[in-house]
Amino acid sequence: MNRVIFLDIDGVLNSNSQNQEPGTEISDGTAVRREKVRLLAQLVRRTKAELILHSGWRFWFDSDGTPLRPESQYLVDLLAEEGLHLSGMTPDLTTEEIRSTKKFSLVKADEILLWLKLHSSVSRWAVLDDLDLHREEIANHQVKPDSAMGLTSKDIAKAEKILGPEEE
């Protein structure tokens, strides 16, 4: 594994504009959009990168990556339709305080950096996340979709530049 994409779900493969009712969270698992998965598939095919889940959705999988909820099974099925699969997940460094305040972005960068430290064969990586991850080491690798839109062709082009051309 020498190229990876750290994948967030909410605000990337869905969007805030999909909320039909006030107070509805996009993380309810029903809003992953097929067209966003297709865009992601284009990026994966062009760069030969592997997908590492760094979303809160990773808590909807067991330690072997088996879906534990219908929402995570739906995600896996949509990815599979495009020939994609999750190759792993970032570790969980959240604390009770972070869980209670829902400020997961405060540890996401540390989780990514720890994963990279444990997987030294990775030479190129990109982060798809709509949140600011609060770390300079991540900034040059992050593509930050507008959460109101989710992933766009422009985001895919930026991620391709970060990951570099496919190696022959």
Side-chain angles (χ1 to χ4, degrees), residues 1 3-9 12-13 37 39-41 43-45 47-54 75-76 78-80 82-90 115 126 128 151 163:
M1 187 180 320
R3 289 172 189 228
V4 298
I5 298 165
F6 292 98
L7 178 64
D8 182 42
I9 303 299
V12 177
L13 296 184
V37 174
L39 283 172
L40 177 64
L43 175 62
V44 170
R45 280 192 289 273
T47 62
K48 303 295 185 213
E50 300 205 33
L51 296 174
I52 304 300
L53 189 63
H54 89 106
L75 172 65
V76 167
L78 277 181
L79 292 172
E82 295 298 324
L84 304 178
H85 68 279
L86 299 172
S87 295
M89 293 177 258
T90 53
W115 190 96
L128 300 178
L151 197 62
L163 291 165

Side-chain angles (χ1 to χ4, degrees), residues 49-110:
E50 300 205 33
L51 296 174
I52 304 300
L53 189 63
H54 89 106
S55 168
W57 282 52
R58 68 188 189 274
F59 303 121
W60 295 353
F61 292 84
D62 69 14
S63 59
D64 295 322
T66 303
L68 297 173
R69 295 176 49 156
E71 299 90 342
S72 51
Q73 184 63 57
Y74 179 67
L75 172 65
V76 167
D77 292 345
L78 277 181
L79 292 172
E81 285 177 20
E82 295 298 324
L84 304 178
H85 68 279
L86 299 172
S87 295
M89 293 177 258
T90 53
D92 177 16
L93 299 178
T94 55
T95 62
E96 284 306 314
E97 180 182 353
I98 287 170
R99 283 186 189 97
S100 67
T101 60
K102 295 190 175 193
K103 293 187 178 182
F104 299 104
S105 66
L106 296 177
V107 294
K108 281 181 143 188
D110 292 333

Side-chain angles (χ1 to χ4, degrees), residues 128-147:
L128 300 178
D129 198 318
D130 63 312
L131 300 175
D132 180 1
L133 299 185
H134 311 287
R135 288 292 285 271
E136 211 173 293
E137 303 98 301
I138 299 289
N140 291 334
H141 296 270
Q142 185 175 0
V143 176
K144 195 173 166 191
D146 179 343
S147 63

